[in-house]
């Protein structure tokens, strides 16, 4: 990255993450200035505002690249605003889970962020569309969507991992597994009770490898359907995911595709990148190589142990 290529559009969500992340944001800005970059810093007022700021940067020939400092929602909307442009995106992970950042090999270390400017690698990132809404990482239908709804409803400022414990426990006891019908690329692949995940990244919350074989730049969606009608089934599926053996199980359907339609006779919720999504029916499609991202050299997704270590500190 060269200061001569233009200014840096530094898009910051001031409400994301703990206070230590505020220090990371400040130090990275200082690092950019020290390297001679002109920094245009903007604070987001909403997720829609984050997308608008990115769209403005994408259309400005004087802008060299864009930095998104925030959680999954902020990063998703900034990436959405950069769709189709050649502006490079750098992620500064400042949220709780940081799904996409972890998948791309980012962490919250200052050294990693600064080294990107000298030896990072450019990759192309697919984006996804669900009923007209953009997402970058994963869409979940059923159990986890109910958890996300409870977390969002009870949210009071910055979310920590502890905020998920009671919603998960409550949902475990109250969830009624819905009847679902799933089509992939026009073919009916499942009809019955269960959970569905579809998306673009191999690691979900705390590094669970639900979409184990996903590649964020292959132009395809990864679809994982868990046939599930009871708490016992859910616990068995969870264990097999932790062991990375769920894809081979007879009660799991896993495939790659470009279009997924999920419907139900029941009222069923979804979540997109950890935020509440639209109710079913859903139509999910992939937008191949929509965004240019700068990632750490030889990067790989952070696993469960790495993410838990970071969470504990």
């Amino acid at each position: 990255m060269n200061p001569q290529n233009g200014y840096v559009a530094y898009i910051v969500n001031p409400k994301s993450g703990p206070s230590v992340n505020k220090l990371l944001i400040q130090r990275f800005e200082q690092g950019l200035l020290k390297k001679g970059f002109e920094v245009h810093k903007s604070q987001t007022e909403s997720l829609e505002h984050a997308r608008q700021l990115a769209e403005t940067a994408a259309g400005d020939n004087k802008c060299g690249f864009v930095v998104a400092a925030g959680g999954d929602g902020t990063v998703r909307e900034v990436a959405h605003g950069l769709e189709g442009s050649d502006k490079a995106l750098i992620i500064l992970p400042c949220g709780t889970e940081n799904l996409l950042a972890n998948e791309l090999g980012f962490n919250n270390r200052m050294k990693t962020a600064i080294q990107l400017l000298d030896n990072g690698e450019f990759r192309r990132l697919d984006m996804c569309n669900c009923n007209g809404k953009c997402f970058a990482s994963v869409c979940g239908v059923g159990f986890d969507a109910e958890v996300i709804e409870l977390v969002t409803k009870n949210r009071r400022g910055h979310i920590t991992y502890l905020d998920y414990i009671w919603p998960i426990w409550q949902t475990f006891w109250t969830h009624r597994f819905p009847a679902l019908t799933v089509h992939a690329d026009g073919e009916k692949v499942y009809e019955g009770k269960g959970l569905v995940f579809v998306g673009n990244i191999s690691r979900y919350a705390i590094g669970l490898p639900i979409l184990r074989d996903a590649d964020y730049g292959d132009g395809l969606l990864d679809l994982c359907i868990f046939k599930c009608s009871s708490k016992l089934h859910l616990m068995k599926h969870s264990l097999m995911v932790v062991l990375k053996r769920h894809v081979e199980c007879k009660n799991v359907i896993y495939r790659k595709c470009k279009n997924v339609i999920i419907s139900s006779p029941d009222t069923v919720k979804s979540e997109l990148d950890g935020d509440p999504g639209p109710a079913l029916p859903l139509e999910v499609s992939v937008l191949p190589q929509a965004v240019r991202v700068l990632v750490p050299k030889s990067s790989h997704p952070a696993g469960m142990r790495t993410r838990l270590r970071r969470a504990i500190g």
Side-chain angles (χ1 to χ4, degrees), residues 72 112-113 121 235 268 291 313:
D72 287 306
T112 303
E121 297 179 337
M235 290 189 291
V268 183
V291 181

Side-chain angles (χ1 to χ4, degrees), residues 53-168:
L53 290 170
E55 288 174 346
T56 299
D60 189 349
N61 292 332
K62 296 180 181 179
C63 176
F65 64 95
V66 176
V67 176
D72 287 306
T74 302
V75 171
R76 176 188 68 235
E77 294 303 319
V78 170
H80 186 18
L82 295 177
E83 275 179 34
S85 79
D86 204 41
K87 292 288 189 296
L89 170 64
I90 291 178
I91 300 172
L92 205 61
C94 297
T96 301
E97 190 58 54
N98 302 306
L99 291 172
L100 182 59
N102 277 308
E103 184 75 10
L104 300 181
F106 289 94
N107 55 40
N108 55 4
R109 296 175 183 169
M110 182 63 182
K111 181 179 179 182
T112 303
I114 289 297
Q115 285 181 339
L116 277 174
L117 302 173
D118 296 322
N119 59 10
E121 297 179 337
F122 288 104
R123 294 285 305 272
R124 280 286 177 179
L125 170 70
D126 299 335
M127 296 292 287
C128 309
N129 185 287
C130 175
N131 290 14
K133 293 181 177 293
C134 176
F135 70 96
S137 301
V138 65
C139 168
V141 173
F143 183 90
D144 69 315
E146 289 191 13
V147 173
I148 293 299
E149 183 182 49
L150 284 175
V151 171
T152 303
K153 186 182 298 183
N154 298 327
R155 180 171 185 170
R156 300 293 183 271
H158 168 57
I159 292 176
T160 70
Y161 284 104
L162 296 177
D163 293 312
Y164 288 88
I165 294 176
W166 172 247
I168 291 173

Side-chain angles (χ1 to χ4, degrees), residues 145-309:
E146 289 191 13
V147 173
I148 293 299
E149 183 182 49
L150 284 175
V151 171
T152 303
K153 186 182 298 183
N154 298 327
R155 180 171 185 170
R156 300 293 183 271
H158 168 57
I159 292 176
T160 70
Y161 284 104
L162 296 177
D163 293 312
Y164 288 88
I165 294 176
W166 172 247
I168 291 173
W169 180 252
Q170 183 177 348
T171 303
F172 178 79
W173 291 107
T174 61
H175 183 69
R176 298 293 179 264
F177 297 94
L180 303 170
T181 301
V182 184
H183 290 78
D185 290 339
E187 175 191 355
K188 182 191 286 188
V189 294
Y190 182 65
E191 187 169 16
K193 294 186 176 183
L195 301 83
V196 178
F197 294 88
V198 57
N200 199 28
I201 63 171
S202 63
R203 302 280 180 157
Y204 190 43
I206 66 169
L208 293 172
I210 292 177
L211 300 178
R212 190 190 68 181
D213 302 330
D215 179 340
Y216 60 80
D218 65 358
L220 297 169
L221 298 168
D222 279 57
L223 169 67
C224 188
I225 304 169
F226 295 94
K227 302 176 184 179
C228 189
S229 59
S230 70
K231 297 176 180 62
L232 180 60
H233 288 157
L234 179 62
M235 290 189 291
K236 287 181 177 179
H237 284 312
S238 300
L239 176 60
M240 297 309 289
V241 169
V242 171
L243 296 176
K244 303 180 185 178
R245 294 172 54 191
H246 60 293
V247 174
E248 291 79 23
C249 293
K250 64 179 181 180
N251 289 324
V252 173
I253 298 171
Y254 192 102
R255 63 174 56 197
K256 289 180 178 287
C257 51
K258 293 186 177 182
N259 181 273
V260 176
I261 297 176
I262 310 168
S263 59
S264 174
D266 306 318
T267 300
V268 183
K269 301 176 175 64
S270 73
E271 61 86 10
L272 305 176
D273 293 349
D275 289 326
L280 270 58
L282 304 181
E283 181 169 0
V284 183
S285 58
V286 65
L287 306 172
Q289 304 199 346
V291 181
R292 186 170 173 244
V293 290
L294 186 65
V295 302
K297 194 170 185 179
S298 303
S299 62
H300 57 82
M304 286 183 282
R305 284 179 294 180
T306 299
R307 298 189 199 203
L308 288 173
R309 233 181 0 250

